[in-house]
Structure formats: C-alpha cells, structure tokens
DNA sequence: CGACCATTTGATATGGATCAAGCGATGTGG
DNA sequence: CCACATCGCTTGATCCATATCAAATGGTCG
C-alpha cells in the first residue's frame, strides 16, 4: 500500500511553442484546445500541477500518458485516473485541483486557459455541450471505478486491462505506459498482487506477457466473463 | 457480500397531489421542483425507478431517505448513494438511469419532468448553474467514495458516520435511516464487519449506540483523526 | 561489467469474509 | 395481552484473499 511518491517538486516545463496546424475544427472543445493551446512537454514523473493549486488551465494529451493522484497523510497514494493520447484533463468543478497531475511517461500536452474555454462555452453551445459531456464521462468513469473497487483482485485487474484495451481501441493487445505500482495504486492493490494476478491470468492462457509493459489479450471473451 | 435484495417489484405509488405553497424561490432548481413537482410517497423498500429505465424525471426528497444501487450478476449489491431530506436525485448524464432507486424508509418525494428542467435551464442561467453544481457535487462525492473504498474497514465506517453527521448538519449524533446491510453494501463490507467496527468504536469511547439506528459521536475530533 | 530499479516469486501474517448461533425488538394471530 | 414467528443486529469461530516481508530475477543505463 505504501507508495513512495516519485519525482516530486519542480515543474521544469519545456514550452514547445504553439500547436501546429489545426487538426480539428475550431468549434469543438478538442479543436479549440488545438488551435489556441500552447504545447508543453513534461518529462517522466514531472508534476504538471499540484493538489490544491488553482485550476486555471485545461490540458489535452498529445502524446504520452498522465496520471492524477492524491497522497494520503500516511503515504498511501490513490490514483484518480490515467489520461492517454487525446484525453482532456484538469477541468475541475471547483476552482482548485482536487488531485495532482504528473506525467507517467514523457508527455506532450496542450494547455489552454480555463477562462478562455468558459468564455467560449457561454457563446457557443456546442462547446458548452462538450464540456458537459466531458464531465459526464468523468462521472461515469468514477461510477465504474466504485464498482471495480468492491471486487476481487482478479476482477479489478481484468477490468483494468479491458478498460485500457477499449480506450486504446485495440481488442487484443495493450501497451501499458504505467508501472505496476501505478496500476496497484489505481486499483487499491499492491504491486505484488497485481503481478501475481497477471501471472495467474497468463497461466490460464487468458493473456500473454511478451514483456512487462505489453499485454496480449489472448481470450478477451473469457476475460469479459471474469468481471461479472 | 451477498445481499438479498429487499422488496422487489411493484411501484405502488401513492400520488399525494401538488406540493403545498412554495417554500423556495421559483428561480432556483430546488424551488422549481417544489413549485411544479408532484409529491409521491413510496413505502419502505419500494422501487422508485429501475436500472436502465428512461430517466425522464428528476426527484427531490421531502422526507425519508432513498438509496440508489446496482445488483451485480452474482447477487452482490453496490449502493451508489443515499439521498436525505432536501437532496435532489435521479438526474442522469445519459438518458437512462445508471442505477436503480428505492425508498430506504417511507419517503415522500417531489417529481418533476426532466425535460421541464432542461427547458428552464436553457432560458435561465441560474438553473443551468445549479444543474451544473448538482453534477459537481455528485462528482465530488464519487471522488470521496473512491478514496474511502481503498481504506480499512474502520476508516470506511468512521468516514461514513462523519459524512452522515455532516449532511445531517449535526455534530454529535446521527439517526441512521438505513440498515447495517445498506451501510455494508455502501462501503463494500459485510454487515458483520460494520457491526463489529461500531462495537469496537463504542468500546474505545469514540461513539455510543443508544440503539442500533442512533449513533452518538462522543469524540468527533478523535473520529476525524482516524480517517487519515 | 556493475549499479539500479522494476518485476516476479516465495513465505508468512492478518483483516475481513464466511459460517453459525444467539439475542433483542417488532409485529401477528390466537 | 401474550406466545410465537420474523427480522435486524451482534457476537463467536474459522477460513481465505490479499498484505506484508523478503529475496531472486531481469532489464536498462552509465
């Protein structure tokens, strides 16, 4: 359960300048961020924002992966979510970040002022609808997490793999950007249990592990049956 | 873990007619529901709406308590939330109810058409803001639940008691409308563990149990220290 | 090559589940 | 109004899944 927090302090941000040519229409949320956002690259384990900081910016992952998390008083770390390429994060309901955010791998993100988005939303109902949809997705994922956290270790791990496969839009393989410790802190387990569960799934021929970060789903339907 | 679902089937609703004189201004969400909503009384354990039903109505608790829940394929029941007097529930992000709702105790609720609210929101930004705030609160509670569910049994139970005390706006006592089974299914524990934990807290002089549904918080600050 | 870190594997401990029984409150029919 | 059934809660005994402690293995980088 104890998780030494990695790469604390200093957000040596490397501003990479404006985003290139727009790749999405400027009247969608994602599009707006691409057009007006500045691209910043964060090294592995670098803090993007801290717990309790003012939530003045909204982010979109261009490449790499990001985690949001909270460290409890006794050192336990709970990961709130993983954000992969294309995901928007950092949009809060209050005006402070409830969780901190860090780069899981080297990550390039686009940054845009929240106030700019809010302003746009008040004029453009399409943007407003997308902001709403974004919150909805967060809410739905939270709901799903709650259901996941009352299950057994195997069900949690399998649920996690299927979630990742779905988000990566692949049916039969996942490239995991995060460590076993990250997965454990996301699922409320220990690294040992995550590792053992994966080994046992491999023995059951449900998955294969060519290397620790790459997971082949050899029998997705069997996996789907395992999560109740 | 197994929880025989109580009082299934039949929603013998007892329509009590219009709400009385408005007790809140008509330009707030709560106010609107009170002005335009019909009051319906549900007996203990009666279903208010089912999992997967169309979410055409939004509800506000006038008296009593309501739970939302989902029964997993293997019979385990996970409770999503408890709604107490004054709380609004049933507002979904999609157009289906993700969870079912039941009356925990006999409960009087006001019912209003969702479409009416949405229509109002598009004209009245105050209502829109309140709908947003409502979703935000759900989101924040979900976040808190996730943190709760990775903790020990004692931390979960204490967290639950403090949450209830806070929502009931009392510092030193809580009248629980729900059974041990409800609490267990909310916290991802068993009734036995909930019961034992309460007994142990009583032995530590942190709480007192004049009867099983009434809990006195004898040492709130000690309780608060227990949840990390 | 050697140091370091992530991952896996092994041995043991333990918190909470499960199985089982008792107890008190509440309600029902005689 | 009382005997009795029922239900929710508590308590006890045991078991098991996962945590914890410990060590071996493997991959990566200087």
């Amino acid at each position: 359960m104890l998780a030494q927090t990695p790469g604390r302090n200093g957000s040596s941000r490397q501003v990479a300048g404006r985003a290139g040519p727009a790749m999405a229409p400027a009247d969608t949320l994602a599009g707006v961020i691409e057009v007006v956002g500045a691209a910043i690259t964060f090294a592995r384990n670098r803090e993007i924002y801290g717990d309790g900081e003012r939530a003045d910016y909204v982010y979109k992952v261009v490449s790499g992966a990001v985690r949001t998390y909270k460290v409890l008083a006794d050192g336990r770390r709970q990961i709130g979510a993983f954000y992969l390429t294309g995901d928007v994060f950092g949009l809060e309901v209050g005006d402070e970040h409830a969780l901190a955010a860090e780069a899981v791998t080297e990550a390039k993100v686009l940054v845009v002022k929240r106030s700019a988005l809010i302003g746009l939303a008040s004029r453009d109902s399409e943007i407003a609808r997308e902001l709403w949809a974004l919150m909805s997705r967060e809410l739905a994922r939270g709901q799903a997490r709650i259901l996941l956290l009352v299950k057994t270790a195997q069900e949690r791990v399998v649920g996690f793999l299927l979630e990742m496969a779905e988000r990566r839009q692949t049916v039969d393989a996942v490239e995991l950007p995060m460590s076993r410790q990250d997965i454990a802190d996301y699922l409320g387990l220990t690294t040992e249990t995550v590792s053992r569960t994966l080994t046992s799934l491999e023995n059951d021929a449900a998955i294969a592990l060519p290397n620790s970060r790459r997971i082949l789903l050899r029998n997705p339907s069997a996996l789907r049956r395992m999560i109740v």
Side-chain angles (χ1 to χ4, degrees), chain A:
Chain A
M1 234 162 189
L2 265 268
Q4 58 286 37
T5 317
R8 188 90 339 283
N9 65 40
S11 42
S12 66
R13 301 177 180 183
Q14 168 201 338
V15 177
R18 286 238 152 201
M23 293 153 69
D27 60 348
T28 65
L29 179 58
V32 166
I33 297 182
E34 284 189 25
V35 172
V36 308
I40 304 185
T41 298
F42 293 90
R44 196 165 124 74
N45 292 334
R46 271 290 136 67
E47 176 173 300
I48 299 174
Y49 53 77
D51 183 2
E53 270 182 27
R54 279 190 57 81
D56 290 332
Y57 297 91
V58 178
Y59 305 80
K60 183 183 172 187
V61 181
V62 175
S63 65
V66 170
R67 63 180 166 247
T68 55
Y69 69 95
K70 181 165 205 121
V71 177
L72 305 185
D74 63 352
R76 280 177 297 179
R77 182 182 68 158
Q78 175 62 30
I79 288 188
F82 293 110
Y83 297 95
L84 311 177
T85 302
D87 290 338
V88 175
F89 69 98
L91 181 63
E92 302 286 336
V93 294
D95 43 26
E96 284 192 357
H97 288 296
L99 303 169
E102 279 177 353
V104 172
T105 57
E106 168 161 308
K108 187 153 115 188
V109 302
L110 292 166
V111 187
V112 69
K113 265 203 151 11
R114 178 162 98 133
S115 54
L117 280 191
I118 303 291
L120 270 173
S122 66
R123 291 194 301 280
D124 183 338
S125 68
E126 170 60 20
I127 302 279
R129 226 164 39 71
E130 283 199 76
L131 285 175
W132 182 264
L134 198 62
M135 297 303 291
S136 305
R137 194 167 329 128
E138 294 281 316
L139 196 78
R141 282 209 186 131
Q143 210 89 306
R145 276 293 282 304
I146 289 173
L147 289 177
L148 206 63
L149 287 176
V150 299
K151 298 187 183 174
T152 65
Q154 174 162 296
E155 289 171 315
R156 296 188 212 190
V157 171
V158 170
F160 173 74
L161 292 180
L162 291 175
E163 183 200 336
M164 281 297 148
E166 193 183 334
R167 287 174 61 186
R168 280 287 167 98
Q169 320 211 44
T170 60
V171 194
D172 51 0
V174 230
E175 190 75 38
L176 297 176
M178 71 290 286
S179 70
R180 295 289 186 268
Q181 184 68 63
D182 285 335
I183 298 171
D185 289 347
Y186 180 71
L187 298 176
L189 298 170
T190 59
T191 53
E192 292 96 327
T193 298
V194 171
S195 185
R196 275 187 245 273
T197 304
L198 289 172
T199 304
S200 132
L201 289 170
E202 189 175 28
N203 292 338
D204 297 348
I207 65 171
L209 293 150
N211 66 63
S212 70
R213 294 298 177 96
R214 182 165 182 80
I215 300 189
L216 307 179
L217 309 184
R218 293 179 53 188
N219 196 343
S221 57
L223 290 171
R224 237 168 273 117
R225 278 195 303 276
M226 297 172 88
I227 59 172
V228 178

